[in-house]
Amino acid sequence: MILKLNLFQCLLVAFLVSILPAYAQQAGQSEREAMYYRYLEFRSYVKGGSIKPHWMADGNSFWYVEGDPNNTIIYKVNPEANTKTPLFDTARLRQALTVLLGHEPPYQGLPFDEFTFIEGEKAVKFTVEDKEFILHLDTYAITRAAALSEEEKSRLIPQVSRKRFDLIHELREVLSPDRRWFAGIKDHNLWLRSTTDGRSVQITTDGIKDFEWGFLQADEAGQLAEWSPDSSKLAVKKVDSRKVAPIPIVHWLKPTVEVEWVPYPFARLDGPLRQSELFIVDILSKRKVRVDTGEEPDQYIHIVGWRPDGSELLFLRMNRVFKKLELMAANPATGSTRVVLTEIQKTFILGEQFSYQWPGLITLLEDGNRFIWMSERDGWNHLYLYDMDGTLIRRLTEGTFPVLWVEALDEKAGWVYFSAHADRQRPHDVHLYRVNLQGEGFMRLTEASGEHRIRFAPSKEFFLDSHSNLDRPRRIELRRADGTLLQTLAQANIDALRELRWKPLDEFVVKAADGETDLYGVLYKPYDFDPGKRYPVIECIYAGPQLRVVPHIFISPAIGAQALAQLGFVTFIVNGRGTPGRGKEFQDVVYGSFGRHEIPDHVAVLKQLAATRPYMDLSRVGIYGHSFGGYFTIRAMLLAPDVYHVGVASGGFAEPIGTLVESYLGLLQDNKEEYEYASNLRLAGNLKGKLLLLVGTSEVLFGSNMKMVEAFIRAGKPYDLNVFPDQGHDFIDDPEIARRYYWDTLRRYFQEHLKPVPTVEITRPVEGSFDLDEPVPLKAKASTSADARVLRLKQHMHTL
């Protein structure tokens, strides 16, 4: 089951993008190394092709900003008239503003790119040079606005309540529907902050460390509380972590070393989960009503929200092994609950995806009496219409394809709009479809191949279609709700890619290790690829059962694989069996067999690719990955030591230990054999090649990496280790050092141990225009010698 881009995917994307450093060519770099760093900045070579719509009061029109700061234009788009016009008369605005400023405004275009409509969209408020102004659109008269103090401005901005441990995601205050209060957490308790006068009101007083209000787990979607429609009540969890075994996080870089103990549930400890209590809190009386969530202590609770009339609170209850999911409704006055719907799977429901993809499971209709439910009950993710007493009204979609997420619901017109993988010729493409609430009128609304990302107007009468594929840069189109194209609003420009001698990457389809199942992937080649030469191969692996990583858009977060190819490698990425997006049977391969099929699939892919591509040198094969990719990098080096010769595992782990893995392997006491098989520790003696482990010392899985190191030591196997002091799972806390060092290290390690094809003699790009499909002659100095690269490696890497 696949749902809309979720928290974990966002974090993974944020990590992959955030660690792309800004590199200029440095002295001593070979031409290949310079091209490697340029490709890490690939997105900076693609100009335009994105807009951020700001919807207006009519529910159809919107405005957006275009141009760089020196020539900013703000356009208004009226879909009904199919027009796109400048919202402001730039010359007139600048002339009027010059009088008030006493000098010409900065830049050449609009001197601002943000504003607020006031007076029923007859005027706007904007800021220039830290001064606020009001512009009347009919006369272009500009006046100074009353200045707000910083404290007054902060009243209207949600503040950070807490940062989630080891991740970049911040939990912010939640604004009430009547816009009078922000709900937040301070000192483990629930507080309110007034948007009117800024005063704070403490609502609860019994929260303490490790038994706190508004707690969300590290990868859990949602917000810290849910307001009732009338703004009188808050639904909020209180989470008890006191029985969860803590792990030490050592802060080595403090003036005096500090140890922080963080409760973190591990499957291999067979211990309890965090215990979630659900409450409905009246903000006036501060009365707390505990919701009956059942007798089972080890379960997952997620707040869905309120019925439109506030009569019931809806929440999800999932059992520990992810086989039983219930939609529950709670009485806000008494806390009593009823089961609305029960979903059961013999294997697992969503698995690790559930913690951050559960919000897409249910879509409430405006009448409050019906909802759309997503389920894989027939083997494919589809939509079902229910009434609020749990009666199935009808099935809305069916077929051998998965619905991904609901994009919009137009209850008045009777249409449900959703994204899906329903193109049988290209099953990885994402298109927009619709079906009516009678389960009829199924129709595809988008055309071009690739991935389509959709933003509907509030009226549901129009949508923006942002799409690209591997060889076509992003385009943004305005369409009617029935898919009719109105106009193209933006198109990315890729002229600058000629500097990179860029060519579209290769898509491929091969068989899994079972010899029957199709697997899809992409392959990258160097900018000066010569089919007559032999290139070492590097695989970029993730293979986690909750995520697909093969890119199908023009700018991919996995840009590192494309960059590594420029060093003289052939690189590839593939989604093996056990990953989502291909139906339940495809993903269920991982159930009860975590770690059994992934590496055989990837080895089969590698061999099939090389069988038809003689330029791939299988005597020199590398592999790298982060998180699950780190675990599977280690596993590939140990299960297939004669296939993979060099590996770099970052943010990985020695064995599956997080409690969410229980969805695939069950409880430890029930399946010890499979847990043991999934451990890399028992395989340490198989290591033959060169393996580098990269890990942050503040990583919750740091101890797992140390166990892997100990296993190598006991087996007498040499290994390499780099630690990032006080860095977490994504090496994000010190971007100027950790990110740069990560990419430097990856390059050095593969260059030293895989010996890529040396630089060819090339010349600089010629002046003028030319076809991107034609090779561009370049010229550079001879590449840095292997001895020099090894010297730099020894100077900069900590090797054990």
Side-chain angles (χ1 to χ4, degrees), residues 218-500:
D219 53 0
E220 180 183 345
Q223 50 192 13
L224 57 86
E226 288 283 347
W227 284 95
S228 62
D230 65 358
S231 302
S232 68
K233 300 178 182 66
L234 280 163
V236 60
K237 290 193 293 186
K238 188 181 182 186
V239 179
D240 188 354
S241 304
R242 292 174 296 178
K243 294 182 180 179
V244 176
I247 59 171
I249 303 296
V250 181
H251 299 288
W252 296 98
L253 301 184
K254 297 281 188 179
T256 301
V257 175
E258 297 177 7
V259 179
E260 177 184 5
W261 290 93
V262 177
Y264 199 86
F266 287 110
R268 299 190 73 88
L269 295 180
D270 244 359
L273 301 179
R274 295 184 175 98
Q275 309 297 301
S276 295
E277 300 175 359
L278 179 58
F279 289 87
I280 295 172
V281 182
D282 187 291
I283 67 168
L284 294 180
S285 67
K286 301 183 183 180
R287 176 175 177 261
K288 302 186 292 288
V289 176
R290 182 169 177 177
V291 174
D292 180 7
T293 58
E295 300 298 325
E296 177 58 49
D298 284 340
Q299 58 187 358
Y300 298 95
I301 301 295
H302 298 286
I303 304 171
V304 172
W306 297 79
R307 295 180 66 176
D309 62 0
S311 61
E312 288 183 306
L313 172 72
L314 303 177
F315 66 96
L316 295 173
R317 179 171 70 186
M318 175 75 86
N319 72 349
R320 179 164 181 166
V321 291
F322 291 80
K323 294 180 184 293
K324 183 179 179 181
L325 173 64
E326 294 166 298
L327 174 63
M328 309 289 294
N331 183 317
T334 65
S336 62
T337 57
R338 63 185 180 91
V339 177
V340 178
L341 178 150
T342 302
E343 189 81 25
I344 296 176
Q345 281 279 0
K346 293 181 179 179
T347 54
F348 57 88
I349 300 170
L350 276 176
E352 188 160 346
Q353 297 160 267
F354 176 75
S355 65
Y356 41 81
Q357 292 188 343
W358 62 264
L361 288 175
I362 180 172
T363 303
L364 293 175
L365 273 66
E366 293 177 6
D367 62 17
N369 297 317
R370 295 176 295 168
F371 63 92
I372 295 171
W373 181 256
M374 300 181 78
S375 169
E376 283 184 308
R377 63 188 60 169
D378 74 345
W380 297 93
N381 197 35
H382 282 295
L383 304 179
Y384 300 82
L385 181 63
Y386 278 85
D387 65 22
M388 203 53 75
D389 66 3
T391 300
L392 174 63
I393 299 173
R394 67 182 58 91
R395 178 177 185 151
L396 299 180
T397 62
E398 61 181 314
T400 55
F401 65 88
V403 171
L404 302 180
W405 50 80
V406 173
E407 295 283 2
L409 172 61
D410 186 351
E411 191 172 344
K412 181 180 178 181
W415 290 107
V416 182
Y417 298 89
F418 59 92
S419 291
H421 288 311
D423 186 336
R424 293 187 179 181
Q425 300 303 315
R426 294 178 59 85
H428 45 264
D429 281 1
V430 179
H431 284 283
L432 178 67
Y433 299 82
R434 76 176 182 180
V435 68
N436 64 32
L437 289 171
Q438 301 303 312
E440 300 169 343
F442 175 86
M443 183 172 70
R444 177 169 141 180
L445 304 177
T446 49
E447 301 152 358
S449 63
E451 290 192 11
H452 293 256
R453 298 176 181 179
I454 308 299
R455 283 170 289 186
F456 263 87
S459 69
K460 310 300 189 298
E461 295 178 8
F462 303 92
F463 65 86
L464 293 174
D465 176 15
S466 173
H467 61 89
S468 70
N469 63 17
L470 295 173
D471 58 10
R472 186 188 70 253
R474 183 162 57 182
R475 177 183 303 157
I476 299 180
E477 298 166 341
L478 175 64
R479 294 177 177 267
R480 293 190 184 277
D482 64 3
T484 301
L485 175 64
L486 295 178
Q487 61 172 301
T488 298
L489 296 174
Q491 169 74 57
N493 184 306
I494 60 172
D495 289 347
L497 289 182
R498 67 188 60 184
E499 182 182 339
L500 304 184

Side-chain angles (χ1 to χ4, degrees), residues 502-780:
W502 170 85
K503 288 185 179 296
L505 46 80
D506 295 342
E507 295 183 84
F508 62 79
V509 184
V510 293
K511 297 296 182 183
D514 64 1
E516 298 178 357
T517 307
D518 285 341
L519 300 180
Y520 297 85
V522 294
L523 182 141
Y524 303 89
K525 301 171 185 174
Y527 61 92
D528 59 349
F529 174 71
D530 181 349
K533 294 184 177 180
R534 300 271 286 168
Y535 294 86
V537 181
I538 298 176
E539 177 179 2
C540 173
I541 192 171
Y542 185 73
Q546 86 285 20
L547 191 64
R548 293 169 298 122
V549 294
V550 173
H552 296 290
I553 56 176
F554 192 78
I555 298 180
S556 161
I559 203 69
Q562 191 171 15
L564 282 170
Q566 312 316 312
L567 293 170
F569 302 106
V570 168
T571 63
F572 74 94
I573 310 173
V574 68
N575 291 325
R577 289 176 297 164
T579 54
R582 297 276 303 277
K584 198 76 175 82
E585 182 180 358
F586 186 90
Q587 191 179 20
D588 275 353
V589 170
V590 74
Y591 180 70
S593 301
F594 189 92
R596 284 191 180 274
H597 302 288
E598 295 88 350
I599 300 308
D601 270 2
H602 287 253
V603 169
V605 169
L606 178 61
K607 292 181 176 179
Q608 289 172 77
L609 291 176
T612 56
R613 295 167 176 82
Y615 53 81
M616 293 176 64
D617 183 357
L618 294 195
S619 69
R620 293 178 293 166
V621 178
I623 186 170
Y624 78 101
H626 182 78
S627 194
F628 266 110
Y631 164 80
F632 280 112
T633 291
I634 299 170
R635 197 159 185 81
M637 295 290 292
L638 302 181
L639 281 180
D642 296 320
V643 176
Y644 295 99
H645 310 104
V646 181
V648 179
S650 62
F653 45 91
E655 52 193 353
I657 53 180
T659 52
L660 295 180
V661 80
E662 293 172 345
S663 60
Y664 312 113
L665 290 178
L667 299 179
L668 177 62
Q669 64 266 28
D670 299 330
N671 201 10
K672 290 184 179 180
E673 182 179 342
E674 285 300 328
Y675 272 92
E676 183 62 24
Y677 182 84
S679 172
N680 287 332
L681 298 176
R682 65 183 184 85
L683 303 172
N686 293 351
L687 183 63
K688 293 182 179 180
K690 297 292 295 184
L691 176 61
L692 170 63
L693 305 178
L694 304 175
V695 61
T697 61
S698 293
E699 157 77 82
V700 295
L701 300 173
F702 183 77
S704 183
N705 280 263
M706 294 302 97
K707 289 180 179 179
M708 194 73 247
V709 166
E710 172 68 7
F712 286 137
I713 291 174
R714 290 185 177 276
K717 296 293 181 178
Y719 63 92
D720 293 324
L721 172 68
N722 274 13
V723 295
F724 290 75
D726 282 13
Q727 297 294 312
H729 185 59
D730 293 333
F731 310 149
I732 58 157
D733 295 330
D734 198 345
E736 295 306 314
I737 297 176
R739 297 171 190 168
R740 175 184 291 260
Y741 194 79
Y742 170 83
W743 288 109
D744 282 346
T745 300
L746 201 66
R747 171 185 61 78
R748 289 193 300 258
Y749 205 74
F750 283 131
Q751 282 181 317
E752 177 182 5
H753 298 297
L754 287 182
K755 310 296 183 187
V757 173
T759 310
V760 297
E761 187 167 325
I762 47 183
T763 59
R764 288 286 175 194
V766 297
E767 296 295 328
S769 61
F770 46 84
D771 192 330
L772 283 174
D773 290 334
E774 293 298 321
V776 183
L778 298 172
K779 185 175 183 180

Side-chain angles (χ1 to χ4, degrees), residues 37-106:
Y37 291 117
R38 290 177 191 167
Y39 266 86
L40 288 176
E41 297 180 7
F42 186 87
R43 65 181 53 247
S44 70
Y45 288 82
V46 180
K47 307 299 183 182
S50 68
I51 67 174
K52 180 181 179 181
H54 301 263
W55 302 103
M56 298 174 66
D58 64 7
N60 286 324
S61 301
F62 62 92
W63 62 268
Y64 71 95
V65 181
E66 191 173 280
D68 57 37
N70 193 49
N71 192 29
T72 298
I73 302 176
I74 295 179
Y75 286 104
K76 175 186 175 181
V77 177
N78 182 340
E80 289 186 298
N82 194 18
T83 58
K84 169 187 168 182
T85 56
L87 181 56
F88 300 100
D89 183 330
T90 302
R92 196 175 174 189
L93 185 149
R94 291 177 64 86
Q95 183 179 15
L97 193 58
T98 298
V99 176
L100 289 176
L101 289 175
H103 58 81
E104 182 79 11

